[in-house]
Amino acid sequence: MDARRMSRAVPRVRQVGFFTPNTPAQHPQPQSAAPSSESPPLSDSPASNSLSPVMIPPPRHLSDNLGGRTAAVPVPGRENSGELPTVGSYNPSESVLWLDSPPRSRIGDEELSEGAESSLGWYRRSNSAKFASSLPSGGFNLSTVKHPESVAAVEAKNPLPEKSEAQKEQASSSKPLKAKTTKAERRALQESQRAAKAASRAEANKSGTPGGAPSSKPMKQPPQKKDGLPVASSIAASERIGVDRSVEKERKKDLPPPRKQFDDESRGGRAKRRSVLNQPEARNRVELFRHLPPHKNGTQLPYLESKFFELHEKHPAVYKVGLQYLAGDLSGGNARCIAMLQAFQEAIRDYSTPPEKTLTRDLTSKIGGFVSFLIECRPLSMSMGNAIRFLKSRIARLPLTLSESEAKTTLCSDIDRFINEKIVLADKVILRHAATKIRDGDVLLTYGSSCVVEMILLYAHELGKQFRVVVVDSHPMLEGQKLLRRLVVKGLSCTYTQLNAISYVMHEVTRVFLGASSIFSNGTVYSTVGTASVAMVAHAFRVPVLVCCEAYKFHERVQLDSICFNELGDPDAISKVPGRVDVNYLDNLTDKQKENLELLNLKYDATPSDYISVIVTDYGMIPPTSVPVIVREYRKEYLLI
Amino acid sequence: MWWRSASFILDRQQEQNTSLPPNPESLLLSSPPPSMADSLQNPKPDISAYYQTRAAHHAVVTSDWLAQAQSAVSLQSNDDVSSGSDGRVAPTGGGTGGDNKTFSVIDEFNSWRKQPDLAEAVAAIRALAAVIRASQATTMMELEIELKKASDSLKAWDATSISLTAGCDLFMRYVTRTSALEYEDFNSARYRLIERAEKFGEISYKARRIIAMLSQDFIFDGCTILVHGFSRVVLEVLKTAAENKKHFRVFCTEGRPDRTGLRLSNELAKLDVPVKLLIDSAVAYTMDEVDMVLVGADGVVESGGIINMMGTYQIALVSHSMNKPVYVAAESYKFARLYPLDQKDMGPALRTIDFGVPIPSKVEVEKSARDYTPPQYLTLLFTDLGVLTPSVVSDELIQLYL
């Protein structure tokens, strides 16, 4: 271990250090046999001497690097590493979506030492490997992977789920799906495992080896393809899961010391100690944003899944929600918040006070534990913070005379009420307010996919108003397409454009409707990255900007920029153009070159209040300067309810 | 600038040297901000503007002024309010109380608004009080429903009048919100409501006086004030300042098409305030000389912006670009829960415009009577709640209505 850590210091050794030993380390699957038999041919390189003979494909391209310094790399756990068919990741079948990009990039960055045919042979080999390996393991895998996979599949099949309903639907529909694992599904699974291995390698040399590149693909793919290709996306989803698990496992074994993730060292340390998840290692990160916790791109998912039955202190409902956050299946402030509250509700229902403890205290700490778990899966949004604060204050205010069951029902109904009043009803009120601002002949612009804005547009359409919608979208999430689809299906006339073209479309726009993740006391709107530029352009064109946001998302914090608090997305997501090999210019960078590359994928930005004409909230339409008034009044209210 | 011209200051100082001896009490309380006082020689630096104003205000509505206003109002019955009611013939109200059998809120309202000094909101509330008086209701609930109907019909009668709407809303708010009403028997509750409505007129007078007092600190000697249109509050402010023996000059815009500026200049001339009349298009030309802009408001909206007579927006824009402060004098009952996003975001309030020559039928005429001035162009609002920045308006509204 130590040796490996040290080896990290030498940048090129890094990949070796991680990946060889890890992947094998804890794969319980018995798959290894087949590939291992095939591996030897490649093991003649100096690197593979120290590696297991099994490790055919990865060393192949690594061998160049490995050449000099393999000595430093001890390889524990190699014995059972046979299954390491990391190879699988390169198998062509998987590339339904992004056909040949991975191989190409690969070939590009190794100096083609082995030539094209060797790599071809390699594919072939890997193919066979995959069959050998994945079939037997299928049953096993299914048991663990099943659930999330089916969720993903369900999502893929309903490209237009209403946000809040979506997860209910998922919950209900995931069961039947679980039961019937068709051949196709199993197949998908196998492929996913293969992908997993590829990714595991990729993950391992995250720090900038070429291997890092392909890993991002499986991650990114699913959301984009969702509406178009259900099958493909389900495969992709399963792949992602597969990827994650193997990586996760290897991660568990040995971790390089992560970079500082909190400004406060002690807090950081505490967080680390408590964390269920392993912190992803540091990679090339933009200096200004080093204080933000690095993106956990779903790599931890399988690890968590495997722990599903071990971590008893986490209620399964909470666990499930956490996994959904992690996988990115749940997004959108309201959806996340509702899911969390409902999970808590379930947890509270199943809760029983341990002997010699009081409900108030024990439950609070329990909720605290859940919350910290959720934070690990994905940083909380402000709205969730507010909801948690509400719940905790409710718990704290429970009269001591209440019996346990009474207390539990009170809390559950409180949560229900919160969801109803602060989210569902609030949205309805916002709809009505905002619709008064839509006139016939308007051209409304919206950015990304905000569920409130979507509801407003549909509502106004129902009212028979004649207007046009411009949906502005941006990479890498392309959430706007989801919205676009739903609007077009409902018969609205839409224009779709990318953020780059915003100044071109803005002159014909008469109103800009934006959603928000949170609004701070100084009127700053914290929302999906790109919102600020939309608002600024609109301001420059003197188009009124309406921000639609439920009052429970208001926060008393003051934030001036989007640096202090933010969330990092998957850095690889922005360097890739899915499905377009020819434009993935960043793929074939050498290690050294990659060291000069810092990728920054921010999730949020802050829009100064100057650019906002009005905030439409459940308390009516207010200027951004009145946010603190609402916060003041509202806080009173919800602490007292 | 004008106040720096030595001759003027000397003139005035000679006059003032014969003024009262300093009042020690008021010395402590004198409040003019130093920034304004130091740059010029305050003729009476030691007299508290605050107490002077207060004294002056006991006789604020002289019978003479009332008579003047009465005659003026017969020409322009609704100058302060941008109601587009020109086309409508206000029916002659059937008395002041609910004495007629065929009672109508609207008639009642119209009779009240004929009084020159009565703000529209007050007239609305008085009309609602008359509804209570005339009502046959025996329970609070019935009365509330009746009131609601009456206020709705009032609002519908003139949807363009913001203070009418605001007045109705305010009173309804009082009816539904006042918890004391629930514990009383019906008659006393009803009596309380009527009393409240009667009082509202007083409150509105008082509001004007308070605004005039508060704004004295902003009118410094030698300043030039640009006013637009005719507003009772603005007149009150200027009048108070004149009574305080402040030396200031007023530029009045003409206020086309109903020439309300002429009326204001007329009033000011009577007070011996130096007045210059401008045509509306000369605002930018004269803005260099102006030290502050003071306007009234038909309505103050939730954003903190104001809706006022046509032309206010451009004056605000010009003064903003020349860094001159824009002050708005408005009573708090003009605060309305509206949020216009741009000029066209309000119901149109149209009026006929006489160009003096026949206009070909093909030519379109912009007939809107009012415009919306966004909050970023306003400096401060003088209200009876205090001197507010535009952003506080929403704060007050939230506290009032939520």
Side-chain angles (χ1 to χ4, degrees):
Chain A
M1 283 282 184
D2 285 338
R4 209 175 309 130
R5 287 254 166 87
M6 280 169 57
S7 76
R8 268 198 94 233
V10 186
R12 294 234 196 124
V13 185
R14 238 183 262 161
Q15 9 171 307
V16 183
F18 284 93
F19 96 35
T20 29
N22 299 338
T23 338
Q26 55 275 89
H27 261 282
Q29 287 113 324
Q31 323 164 323
S32 44
S36 67
S37 63
E38 293 189 53
S39 53
L42 280 172
S43 63
D44 49 2
S45 78
S48 41
N49 282 341
S50 68
L51 295 171
S52 101
V54 188
M55 307 221 26
I56 325 145
R60 196 188 64 67
H61 82 274
L62 282 175
S63 55
D64 307 320
N65 285 336
L66 286 175
R69 48 212 97 81
T70 26
V73 186
V75 189
R78 206 183 312 136
E79 309 75 66
N80 60 348
S81 66
E83 110 289 7
L84 212 235
T86 343
V87 194
S89 71
Y90 301 124
N91 81 63
S93 66
E94 149 222 352
S95 49
V96 183
L97 305 176
W98 43 95
L99 245 134
D100 41 1
S101 63
R104 239 219 240 170
S105 61
R106 256 322 131 88
I107 293 167
D109 42 73
E110 319 147 358
E111 292 95 52
L112 283 178
S113 52
E114 302 203 359
E117 5 140 282
S118 81
S119 71
L120 270 181
W122 198 54
Y123 286 140
R124 248 171 269 127
R125 228 177 294 134
S126 69
N127 270 339
S128 61
K130 115 193 148 199
F131 279 111
S133 65
S134 49
L135 277 176
S137 68
F140 170 84
N141 276 339
L142 275 179
S143 64
T144 51
V145 177
K146 222 187 295 173
H147 178 71
E149 190 253 330
S150 60
V151 166
V154 169
E155 261 208 350
K157 277 164 196 162
N158 322 329
L160 316 170
E162 285 300 307
K163 282 237 162 108
S164 56
E165 289 166 22
Q167 76 245 13
K168 281 179 217 157
E169 230 176 271
Q170 283 171 18
S172 60
S173 54
S174 61
K175 261 174 211 164
L177 272 176
K178 235 188 267 183
K180 45 160 185 173
T181 49
T182 60
K183 208 170 188 181
E185 255 177 298
R186 253 174 290 148
R187 163 83 184 222
L189 257 178
Q190 294 158 13
E191 277 161 5
S192 79
Q193 290 154 16
R194 249 168 276 128
K197 279 144 209 166
S200 75
R201 193 165 59 180
E203 279 306 318
N205 34 32
K206 239 185 198 171
S207 46
T209 35
S215 79
S216 75
K217 254 179 209 153
M219 312 292 176
K220 275 309 105 172
Q221 213 62 27
Q224 289 150 10
K225 296 283 170 175
K226 237 173 222 169
D227 27 19
L229 311 158
V231 182
S233 67
S234 72
I235 291 173
S238 59
E239 252 165 6
R240 177 184 53 202
I241 290 156
V243 165
D244 303 342
R245 71 165 4 183
S246 61
V247 170
E248 181 38 46
K249 295 206 168 144
E250 96 199 351
R251 184 68 41 66
K252 190 172 85 182
K253 191 93 185 218
D254 76 334
L255 241 196
R259 282 237 182 126
K260 181 170 71 167
Q261 286 151 19
F262 296 85
D263 278 341
D264 179 3
E265 289 278 4
S266 66
R267 261 185 74 200
R270 235 186 307 143
K272 226 184 298 168
R273 247 176 289 123
R274 255 183 305 171
S275 67
V276 179
L277 291 186
N278 298 309
Q279 305 290 342
E281 87 229 52
R283 63 166 86 189
N284 267 4
R285 287 202 282 144
V286 178
E287 184 65 44
L288 202 53
F289 293 92
R290 291 250 166 101
H291 60 283
L292 299 175
H295 176 65
K296 306 177 189 92
N297 45 2
T299 45
Q300 321 248 359
L301 196 57
Y303 167 63
L304 283 175
E305 270 158 24
S306 65
K307 292 255 241 162
F308 195 88
F309 299 104
E310 299 169 26
L311 294 169
H312 292 299
E313 72 273 25
K314 309 274 177 271
H315 190 274
V318 178
Y319 209 83
K320 187 182 115 190
V321 171
L323 293 184
Q324 282 174 329
Y325 289 168
L326 195 58
D329 291 342
L330 261 183
S331 62
N334 284 346
R336 277 169 71 196
C337 190
I338 292 176
M340 179 190 73
L341 285 175
Q342 282 170 343
F344 285 169
Q345 210 174 8
E346 233 168 279
I348 289 174
R349 255 181 229 129
D350 295 345
Y351 171 84
S352 60
T353 319
E356 301 190 10
K357 282 191 176 172
T358 56
L359 177 132
T360 325
R361 293 191 177 204
D362 188 56
L363 191 55
T364 313
S365 70
K366 201 132 198 197
I367 296 277
F370 294 159
V371 169
S372 62
F373 167 73
L374 292 179
I375 291 177
E376 282 172 49
C377 295
R378 184 175 167 188
L380 293 186
S381 64
M382 303 290 162
S383 52
M384 291 159 75
N386 280 343
I388 291 164
R389 200 168 352 163
F390 161 79
L391 180 58
K392 285 195 172 170
S393 83
R394 295 309 301 157
I395 295 174
R397 278 163 181 279
L398 283 176
L400 288 172
T401 51
L402 240 52
S403 76
E404 188 181 304
S405 66
E406 278 171 339
K408 274 157 63 179
T409 48
T410 338
L411 284 178
C412 288
S413 73
D414 276 342
I415 291 176
D416 272 336
R417 213 168 35 162
F418 186 90
I419 293 175
N420 265 321
E421 282 178 14
K422 303 296 177 196
I423 305 178
V424 180
L425 280 179
D427 280 345
K428 285 192 181 140
V429 177
I430 291 174
L431 288 194
R432 273 197 269 129
H433 283 301
T436 62
K437 292 295 169 202
I438 300 178
R439 295 169 300 186
D440 281 350
D442 264 347
V443 180
L444 313 177
L445 184 142
T446 184
Y447 173 71
S449 165
S450 153
C451 63
V452 191
V453 172
E454 181 189 340
M455 285 154 79
I456 290 169
L457 297 177
L458 292 177
Y459 178 69
H461 183 69
E462 269 168 36
L463 291 182
K465 303 207 178 194
Q466 300 298 315
F467 59 91
R468 221 152 53 76
V469 182
V470 179
V471 179
V472 178
D473 205 354
S474 77
H475 273 282
M477 299 295 284
L478 292 178
E479 285 171 314
Q481 292 186 353
K482 273 189 277 176
L483 173 70
L484 187 69
R485 189 189 166 90
R486 281 176 288 208
L487 293 182
V488 169
V489 164
K490 287 275 167 69
L492 282 85
S493 75
C494 297
T495 307
Y496 178 75
T497 185
Q498 289 283 315
L499 188 56
N500 323 348
I502 184 100
S503 62
Y504 179 76
V505 291
M506 193 56 89
H507 73 270
E508 57 170 332
V509 172
T510 55
R511 297 267 188 278
V512 174
F513 281 90
L514 297 173
S517 167
S518 178
I519 301 182
F520 297 116
S521 267
N522 56 348
T524 301
V525 171
Y526 184 71
S527 188
T528 330
V529 69
T531 305
S533 31
V534 173
M536 285 174 191
V537 173
H539 181 78
F541 280 78
R542 305 199 59 83
V543 178
V545 178
L546 294 93
V547 175
C548 308
C549 179
E550 300 84 356
Y552 84 101
K553 290 179 179 172
F554 289 8
H555 202 272
E556 70 270 11
R557 176 188 293 165
V558 168
Q559 190 169 330
L560 301 174
D561 53 40
S562 32
I563 300 169
C564 306
F565 291 92
N566 212 319
E567 197 182 321
L568 291 178
D570 183 4
D572 292 327
I574 52 168
S575 65
K576 294 286 161 194
V577 181
R580 291 287 306 278
V581 199
D582 49 326
V583 291
N584 285 336
Y585 302 113
L586 293 180
D587 278 354
N588 37 11
L589 288 179
T590 62
D591 238 5
K592 191 136 194 226
Q593 288 163 333
K594 280 215 166 177
E595 266 170 32
N596 299 328
L597 173 67
E598 289 174 342
L599 294 170
L600 177 64
N601 181 8
L602 280 183
K603 289 241 171 154
Y604 296 101
D605 66 12
T607 312
S609 60
D610 308 357
Y611 302 109
I612 291 150
S613 318
V614 58
I615 294 170
V616 186
T617 168
D618 33 335
Y619 293 97
M621 289 178 282
I622 57 163
T625 49
S626 287
V627 174
V629 182
I630 297 283
V631 169
R632 192 175 69 209
E633 306 286 313
Y634 177 57
R635 189 65 17 100
K636 246 189 282 169
E637 183 187 316
Y638 85 39
L639 290 183
L640 294 181
I641 284 184
Chain B
M1 282 192 188
W2 178 67
W3 78 83
R4 299 216 177 93
S5 71
S7 67
F8 172 79
I9 290 177
L10 281 180
D11 273 7
R12 294 298 172 146
Q13 268 189 325
Q14 275 170 358
E15 269 179 44
Q16 256 98 57
N17 284 342
T18 58
S19 62
L20 309 167
N23 180 349
E25 194 182 17
S26 63
L27 244 174
L28 297 169
L29 298 161
S30 79
S31 49
S35 60
M36 289 176 183
D38 55 8
S39 65
L40 43 104
Q41 300 90 335
N42 190 335
K44 292 188 289 177
D46 35 24
I47 300 241
S48 157
Y50 184 81
Y51 283 101
Q52 283 242 325
T53 322
R54 182 172 259 184
H57 266 288
H58 284 302
V60 86
V61 188
T62 60
S63 57
D64 173 45
W65 192 82
L66 266 177
Q68 286 282 340
Q70 196 99 48
S71 62
V73 88
S74 57
L75 292 174
Q76 303 122 357
S77 59
N78 39 6
D79 35 52
D80 192 24
V81 187
S82 74
S83 53
S85 55
D86 267 25
R88 282 179 225 123
V89 182
T92 49
T96 46
D99 53 350
N100 46 347
K101 289 293 170 211
T102 57
F103 177 80
S104 144
V105 215
I106 294 163
D107 291 351
E108 181 71 29
F109 172 64
N110 273 320
S111 75
W112 279 112
R113 72 199 291 228
K114 287 234 151 187
Q115 297 199 11
D117 208 33
L118 212 57
E120 189 124 334
V122 182
I125 289 175
R126 292 249 167 109
L128 289 179
V131 172
I132 302 176
R133 271 198 219 98
S135 144
Q136 311 289 320
T138 50
T139 64
M140 205 60 213
M141 203 61 208
E142 266 178 80
L143 188 63
E144 253 176 57
I145 292 167
E146 216 166 300
L147 269 177
K148 181 94 183 89
K149 257 190 223 154
S151 84
D152 283 350
S153 67
L154 259 185
K155 281 195 258 181
W157 181 74
D158 186 358
T160 57
S161 169
I162 292 163
S163 36
L164 169 60
T165 314
C168 289
D169 285 349
L170 206 62
F171 192 65
M172 289 312 293
R173 202 70 199 163
Y174 177 76
V175 173
T176 51
R177 265 252 179 131
T178 310
S179 56
L181 292 177
E182 285 167 22
Y183 303 111
E184 289 167 328
D185 67 294
F186 176 68
N187 277 325
S188 63
R190 187 175 136 167
Y191 177 71
R192 183 189 279 268
L193 284 179
I194 294 172
E195 193 185 35
R196 172 80 187 180
E198 298 295 329
K199 255 200 197 154
F200 199 82
E202 274 173 55
I203 292 172
S204 122
Y205 287 129
K206 228 188 262 168
R208 254 176 254 164
R209 246 173 280 157
I210 293 170
I211 292 167
M213 286 188 298
L214 287 174
S215 54
Q216 290 312 300
D217 293 346
F218 294 85
I219 298 175
F220 49 92
D221 276 295
C223 69
T224 304
I225 303 171
L226 178 74
V227 297
H228 180 64
F230 180 91
S231 152
R232 278 171 292 219
V233 202
V234 170
L235 181 61
E236 186 79 37
V237 169
L238 296 177
K239 205 169 155 189
T240 312
E243 278 160 9
N244 277 336
K245 302 232 162 39
K246 301 223 177 199
H247 302 133
F248 58 95
R249 190 162 63 148
V250 178
F251 287 180
C252 282
T253 58
E254 183 193 1
R256 287 272 295 153
D258 46 13
R259 317 183 119 202
T260 45
L262 294 184
R263 183 180 159 200
L264 186 70
S265 61
N266 191 22
E267 300 284 344
L268 289 171
K270 280 186 200 136
L271 296 169
D272 268 344
V273 174
V275 185
K276 195 194 240 179
L277 206 53
L278 318 170
I279 53 171
D280 290 335
S281 40
V283 168
Y285 173 77
T286 48
M287 192 55 83
D288 262 343
E289 289 177 68
V290 170
D291 294 311
M292 68 178 78
V293 176
L294 182 61
V295 292
D298 296 340
V300 180
V301 295
E302 185 133 18
S303 61
I306 57 164
I307 292 170
N308 197 24
M309 185 185 148
M310 185 61 91
T312 310
Y313 182 36
Q314 66 195 25
I315 290 177
L317 278 175
V318 169
S319 48
H320 181 76
S321 71
M322 297 205 186
N323 288 328
K324 312 283 181 182
V326 180
Y327 299 129
V328 178
E331 301 94 328
S332 61
Y333 56 73
K334 286 180 176 164
F335 289 9
R337 291 217 79 189
L338 290 172
Y339 205 122
L341 293 171
D342 49 33
Q343 300 299 329
K344 300 281 162 63
D345 203 13
M346 303 171 285
L350 305 180
R351 71 175 160 203
T352 53
I353 296 172
D354 180 21
F355 287 96
V357 288
I359 305 291
S361 59
K362 281 180 191 168
V363 176
E364 239 186 302
V365 177
E366 174 62 70
K367 287 179 182 166
S368 180
R370 60 185 182 186
D371 60 19
Y372 162 64
T373 310
Q376 61 263 38
Y377 302 114
L378 307 177
T379 314
L380 288 173
L381 295 148
F382 303 151
T383 73
D384 45 330
L385 304 171
V387 177
L388 313 176
T389 60
S391 57
V392 186
V393 173
S394 156
D395 191 338
E396 297 292 343
L397 278 171
I398 288 170
Q399 299 203 341
L400 191 61
Y401 285 102
L402 292 180

